[in-house]
Amino acid sequence: MDKQTNNQYLLRIWGRAATLVLVSGLLAACATAGSKDPTPEDLAKLVERTINAGDEAARRGDFERALTHYLRALETEESLDVWFRVGAASSQVGRSQGALLAYSKVLETDPLHAQAHEGSGLEHLALGDVEAAREHLSTTIALDPDRWRSHNALGILADQTGDYAAAMRHYEAALAINPKSPMLLNNIGYSRYLSGDLDQAARDFYNVTRLYPDYEAAWTNLGIVYAQRRWYLDAVGILARVMDKAKAYNDVGYIAYRKGDLAEAERLLAEAVRVSPTYYLDANRNLEQVRARLQGGPRNAAILQMPTGPSPTLAEAAAGDEG
Amino acid sequence: MRADTATSPAPRGPSWPARFRRRRLAVAVTVGVALLTAIAATRLVEPSYRAVARLALDGKTLSVDQDVANASAHVATELQARHERVLVAARQASAISPRQSERVQTRVTDVAVDPVSERGVPLLSASFEVSIDAADAREASQATTLLLDLYLEDDERAHSAPPVPPAELVAVRAEASRLASLLAGSQAELADLEREHGPLGSMDDPGGQLTALANQARTLAAQIDDLQARRVELDRGLRDMQRGASEYRSNPGMPLTSEALSALQAQWTVLRTRNGSDAATVRELGAMIEGLQATADAKFGAAAAELATAVAEYARLEQVYPLDHPDVVRQAHTVSALESRLESLRVRGLTSGDRAYVEGLARERSQIDGRLEVLRERRESLSLQIAEQQAQATRAPEIRQRRAELQREYAELLAAQQTALEQQQLLEARFDAVLEQRPGRIATPSPLEVHRVLMSRPDVILALGLIAGVVAAFLTVAVRERVDARISGTESIRRMQGHLPLAEIPRIRTA
């Protein structure tokens, strides 16, 4: 992120905060007209109440309100703890730049702040800045080996570089810290999928679905693995548990097409069109393309609509939904 | 009328009733005069002698068309014929004078019939007499003896010489023979014409013959076309059945499929049908097919074992995991894939029925060339016939006219021959009847007899005597009536008085 962008972002944040402070000051002036200036104890109490209100909002999942409270607290007192909370809340509402700025403020004050490094690493990973992410996450692990999200993120980075053994080590380390995380189990299966061990990947995804039947990513990944094994009807059966049947047929049909099984692809896509209660645009386009291929037409796979593919649950990893 | 009757009485004289009344006198006078005339003739006419020869005819047969009931007539005819021949011979030999020949008499005295003889035909036997009257007994005897000799000679001649066919029969035979010869010549001439110009029947309708030949040619062409089409069809079918076989043989590393094995077997069957079982190619291909089948069977066995293992593993996994476990799903797909592989490895060749079918097609294909060759030869022959027929059609009127003449001549000859043969048959039948008929043998069972004949021509003498007797009787009765004045009956009264009596006492017959 360049410096000019950061400054613009900070100006926007600070402008909003100044407006809030101004409005609050006017209201306070009206309410305390004629009273004396607050003491430091009063301010400390005010900051504490504001932070508590933000935490309360964050626990309710209202991260926007939580961010507002944290920013008010920051107006009163710029502390490392408040900056960290601003970073976390910004991450939750998808304001990666703000989160990175907040984390950088924390790290300016405390360069050994493991959580800030972790948050910064996850945000960089979400933004695609792999090197920065790896640096922050590695620092995090170095500072605090028990940061399971950092292990998870490092595992994802290792998968991206094809170092599946390292990825597996990170996932296992994370799993040792947080053994009940379906995300970690799912990511382990994904890593095995990437490494080509489809049987073990299927077992991993299946185990996740056994432990957490509502965990859709595992069902999806399991269905994709089945489709990659050309077990198309089994794949449809799996995918239909977490998506409508027409989409399941369409996605599996797409994979069949990519694998060269044109007849199967046509059958699956035609079934997707048939079972869809409404006009299924993607399935119809895919079906036309497959039929054109079957009739000797030119290969133009790009026209096909990309279905949902197997993927690690990065968003969940970044969100830190498991504490 | 009554007045006339009264005034003119009827003339006197004997009336018929009067004559009847004196009938006894008339008969007596008649007989007496006749006897006197005969006696006088006997005394006055020159005495004559009669020589009588008794002859016997034995063994005469009747022909089939002669009735036994008329045996006497048949014998009389036979004897009359012989007698005439004898008289002719006697006159020619001047053995008897013409006067004597007029006085020769024959008489059949007895005829006997044996209806069922040993020969199976009715046999007739007869006795007859031949007599000659002459003034001299010696002359009568000599003439009769001479006739007897002539009878015997004629009989001997009739039995020694074979029967001569009648001249009519001989003529008819000659005519029939001549006609047969002419008929054979006419027939030979017709045959020559037919040999020279083909069947004479074809001359009747040369256009029709040409049409018929053209139709035959078309039928033949259609058959050839059908056979050629069938050959193409068979070639295509056999080629399709063998498709891939040559490719497989040139590249034996290819996986053996049911189609490839069937193609190889079809090729082997076709080669065997065409070249025989001992041909090197056939033996080589047969050995190759057997080797391939053995290999395919081994592969199939291995795959079957693999499938069995996979099925067992599936059963084990099914016991351990739920059915939607990836391992169970994977094993199910593995089993399914192995089943598919096993099915793909199941190499099925031709059945015995299929092989018989292919063999039949190959045999038909082998025979079809020979049949085509025959049909083509026939078509060429037919083309020659058509050309010849066309040439004949040009000459047909002339040949037809000549043939018509020959046929007419032949028909006439045939009819004439038929008539001649019928006539000959009729005459031959008659001659056969004559041949079958035996005239019998003449024999002289008793010696010649000569005796004096009391009355010569007694019939004439008796007739003259009777006529004279009747005349004398008539005259006698008339004289007696003239001199007799007694009244007897109403007629006497009427003649005497001119009218009838007033009354008459009837004559009453009493018992």
Side-chain angles (χ1 to χ4, degrees):
Chain A
M1 183 186 307
D2 58 347
K3 195 168 182 178
Q4 186 178 1
T5 307
N6 284 338
N7 290 336
Q8 286 174 354
Y9 182 74
L10 286 173
L11 284 173
R12 202 164 49 248
I13 293 293
W14 286 118
R16 190 177 295 175
T19 304
L20 286 171
V21 169
L22 181 59
V23 171
S24 302
L26 287 174
L27 290 174
C30 291
T32 61
S35 65
K36 59 180 181 181
D37 293 336
T39 63
E41 290 77 12
D42 293 337
L43 289 174
K45 288 181 181 177
L46 177 63
V47 169
E48 186 179 357
R49 284 202 301 272
T50 304
I51 290 172
N52 288 338
D55 291 345
E56 185 63 27
R59 275 193 292 273
R60 292 197 309 269
D62 188 358
F63 291 103
E64 286 284 356
R65 184 171 293 277
L67 181 59
T68 302
H69 286 298
Y70 293 148
L71 287 175
R72 283 185 61 192
L74 196 61
E75 181 186 352
T76 305
E77 180 186 357
E78 285 193 30
S79 67
L80 185 145
D81 190 41
V82 175
W83 277 114
F84 180 76
R85 278 180 166 77
V86 169
S90 296
S91 293
Q92 290 296 331
V93 298
R95 293 170 183 165
S96 297
Q97 297 295 344
L100 282 174
L101 180 61
Y103 290 139
S104 65
K105 286 292 184 184
V106 174
L107 292 175
E108 282 176 6
T109 307
D110 182 6
L112 301 180
H113 195 287
Q115 288 179 313
H117 277 291
E118 184 179 63
S120 185
L122 293 176
E123 288 305 319
H124 280 295
L125 183 60
L127 291 171
D129 188 356
V130 175
E131 292 304 322
R134 181 176 292 113
E135 183 181 347
H136 282 290
L137 293 170
S138 299
T139 306
T140 303
I141 296 300
L143 293 173
D144 183 1
D146 291 338
R147 301 306 301 177
W148 66 270
R149 286 192 181 85
S150 295
H151 282 295
N152 179 47
L154 285 170
I156 291 171
L157 287 172
D159 281 333
Q160 288 179 353
T161 57
D163 188 358
Y164 304 115
M168 194 55 63
R169 282 196 299 274
H170 284 299
Y171 290 135
E172 285 173 353
L175 201 60
I177 299 163
N178 186 8
K180 293 184 178 178
S181 170
M183 179 189 65
L184 285 174
L185 294 171
N186 181 63
N187 287 348
I188 288 173
Y190 182 70
S191 179
R192 291 206 169 103
Y193 169 81
L194 290 178
S195 70
D197 188 358
L198 297 183
D199 287 341
Q200 190 56 46
R203 287 189 202 100
D204 291 338
F205 293 137
Y206 180 78
N207 289 335
V208 177
T209 61
R210 292 287 100 181
L211 292 171
Y212 307 99
D214 296 331
Y215 192 69
E216 294 184 0
W219 285 110
T220 302
N221 289 341
L222 181 60
I224 298 300
V225 169
Y226 280 4
Q228 291 294 336
R229 297 297 300 267
R230 289 191 166 87
W231 306 339
Y232 297 121
L233 292 180
D234 294 305
V236 170
I238 294 295
L239 290 177
R241 299 194 184 195
V242 292
M243 61 181 72
D244 66 85
K245 211 165 185 178
K247 188 172 188 317
Y249 273 112
N250 179 62
D251 290 358
V252 177
Y254 174 80
I255 294 172
Y257 171 79
R258 294 302 302 269
K259 294 184 78 65
D261 296 336
L262 295 182
E264 284 290 333
E266 185 197 21
R267 193 170 60 80
L268 292 164
L269 292 170
E271 193 66 12
V273 170
R274 191 184 71 80
V275 301
S276 175
T278 59
Y279 183 73
Y280 193 173
L281 181 60
D282 290 346
N284 276 286
R285 285 180 178 171
N286 290 341
L287 183 59
E288 288 176 7
Q289 180 63 24
V290 170
R291 283 178 174 164
R293 278 289 309 281
L294 281 171
Q295 292 170 2
R299 180 170 186 158
N300 191 4
I303 295 178
L304 286 180
Q305 303 304 307
M306 182 70 76
T308 304
S311 64
T313 49
L314 296 177
E316 291 178 14
D321 59 329
E322 295 172 36
Chain B
M1 291 297 290
R2 194 170 176 90
D4 291 341
T5 307
T7 56
S8 53
R12 296 179 63 87
S15 61
W16 285 108
R19 292 186 186 105
F20 182 73
R21 192 170 56 244
R22 296 186 186 279
R23 61 184 179 274
R24 291 178 184 162
L25 177 62
V27 170
V29 170
T30 301
V31 172
V33 170
L35 286 174
L36 288 174
T37 303
I39 292 168
T42 304
R43 293 295 176 188
L44 294 176
V45 174
E46 185 182 359
S48 65
Y49 295 90
R50 174 171 293 170
V52 179
R54 290 185 177 80
L55 299 167
L57 178 67
D58 288 327
K60 174 178 171 53
T61 59
L62 293 178
S63 61
V64 290
D65 55 342
Q66 290 176 322
D67 189 6
V68 178
N70 295 325
S72 299
H74 298 318
V75 169
T77 304
E78 170 72 20
L79 292 177
Q80 183 64 30
R82 291 194 180 211
H83 187 65
E84 286 176 0
R85 289 199 300 272
V86 167
L87 282 182
V88 170
R91 285 194 201 99
Q92 289 175 350
S94 301
I96 58 173
S97 63
R99 188 177 171 220
Q100 283 177 330
S101 67
E102 290 174 359
R103 298 176 72 177
V104 174
Q105 293 180 351
T106 60
R107 184 170 69 94
V108 177
T109 56
D110 186 28
V111 174
V113 179
D114 183 4
V116 185
S117 66
E118 292 178 356
R119 295 171 56 187
V121 294
L123 287 179
L124 300 183
S125 299
S127 299
F128 67 100
E129 293 176 352
V130 177
S131 62
I132 297 176
D133 291 344
D136 187 6
R138 188 175 174 185
E139 181 186 356
S141 175
Q142 286 177 344
T144 304
T145 303
L146 190 59
L147 282 180
L148 275 180
D149 293 341
L150 289 174
Y151 261 104
L152 294 175
E153 286 178 8
D154 179 72
D155 186 63
E156 189 64 29
R157 193 164 45 248
H159 285 86
S160 60
V164 178
E168 190 183 5
L169 176 58
V170 173
V172 166
R173 281 176 178 171
E175 177 65 11
S177 174
R178 186 183 70 84
L179 289 173
S181 172
L182 291 175
L183 203 59
S186 176
Q187 201 168 9
E189 203 168 354
L190 272 172
D192 290 342
L193 190 68
E194 184 170 359
R195 191 163 47 250
E196 186 180 353
H197 301 291
L200 293 179
S202 63
M203 292 295 162
D204 293 336
D205 185 12
Q209 294 293 325
L210 269 174
T211 306
L213 288 173
N215 286 337
Q216 288 181 27
R218 270 196 295 277
T219 305
L220 215 52
Q223 288 177 351
I224 290 172
D225 288 345
D226 289 345
L227 276 180
Q228 285 176 337
R230 178 63 177 159
R231 183 172 64 179
V232 170
E233 187 180 356
L234 285 173
D235 285 342
R236 186 183 298 119
L238 290 172
R239 193 168 54 245
D240 287 345
M241 289 175 187
Q242 300 174 63
R243 178 168 294 145
S246 300
E247 184 184 356
Y248 191 89
R249 290 176 69 184
S250 61
N251 187 11
M254 290 171 62
L256 182 67
T257 60
S258 298
E259 290 75 15
L261 181 60
S262 299
L264 288 168
Q265 287 177 327
Q267 192 172 53
W268 177 78
T269 305
V270 170
L271 287 173
R272 189 187 63 173
T273 306
R274 191 179 298 161
N275 304 325
S277 303
D278 297 331
T281 358
V282 176
R283 286 204 304 270
E284 182 186 345
L285 185 56
M288 177 183 178
I289 290 172
E290 285 181 4
L292 288 172
Q293 276 182 320
T295 307
D297 290 344
K299 284 183 180 176
F300 183 79
E306 192 178 353
L307 175 62
T309 306
V311 168
E313 176 64 11
Y314 177 79
R316 188 190 69 76
L317 290 172
E318 201 178 23
Q319 297 295 323
V320 177
Y321 301 116
L323 284 178
D324 59 349
H325 190 276
D327 287 349
V328 179
V329 174
R330 185 205 64 215
Q331 196 62 25
H333 282 278
T334 302
V335 169
S336 176
L338 284 173
E339 285 174 345
S340 299
R341 180 163 175 264
L342 189 68
E343 191 59 31
S344 69
L345 288 174
R346 191 190 302 275
V347 179
R348 290 190 180 92
L350 297 177
T351 64
S352 59
D354 294 337
R355 281 198 293 273
Y357 175 67
V358 175
E359 190 174 348
L361 291 182
R363 189 178 299 113
E364 185 183 355
R365 176 63 185 84
S366 301
Q367 293 170 350
I368 213 163
D369 284 337
R371 290 170 61 193
L372 268 176
E373 187 64 26
V374 171
L375 287 179
R376 282 178 182 140
E377 286 177 1
R378 282 175 58 191
R379 183 171 62 181
E380 289 176 5
S381 168
L382 206 55
S383 300
L384 292 176
Q385 284 184 35
I386 288 173
E388 191 176 345
Q389 190 66 31
Q390 284 171 339
Q392 276 198 359
T394 310
R395 291 178 291 151
E398 180 189 351
I399 298 171
R400 202 160 46 237
Q401 185 179 357
R402 174 63 183 150
R403 188 199 62 175
E405 289 173 0
L406 287 174
Q407 283 182 332
R408 189 166 54 251
E409 182 183 345
Y410 182 80
E412 288 172 0
L413 287 172
L414 194 63
Q417 188 201 31
Q418 188 67 26
T419 306
L421 287 176
E422 287 175 359
Q423 192 176 0
Q424 182 186 1
Q425 190 175 5
L426 182 63
L427 293 174
E428 293 284 1
R430 287 179 186 171
F431 186 58
D432 288 343
V434 169
L435 290 177
E436 288 178 1
Q437 197 173 4
R438 294 173 180 274
R441 296 305 299 255
I442 294 292
T444 54
S446 60
L448 186 69
E449 291 181 2
V450 180
H451 56 83
R452 187 173 180 276
V453 179
L454 292 178
M455 187 187 296
S456 177
R457 307 294 299 272
D459 46 353
V460 176
I461 291 169
L462 280 176
L464 291 174
L466 282 175
I467 292 168
V470 168
V471 171
F474 188 77
L475 292 173
T476 304
V477 169
V479 170
R480 287 281 295 180
E481 276 298 312
R482 182 68 69 179
V483 298
D484 191 2
R486 290 177 297 178
I487 295 171
S488 56
T490 56
E491 186 61 23
S492 299
I493 295 170
R494 191 188 65 83
R495 280 203 307 267
M496 289 173 65
Q497 295 181 352
H499 51 82
L500 292 172
L502 296 175
E504 186 178 1
I505 299 169
R507 180 177 291 178
I508 298 171
R509 295 182 184 272
T510 61

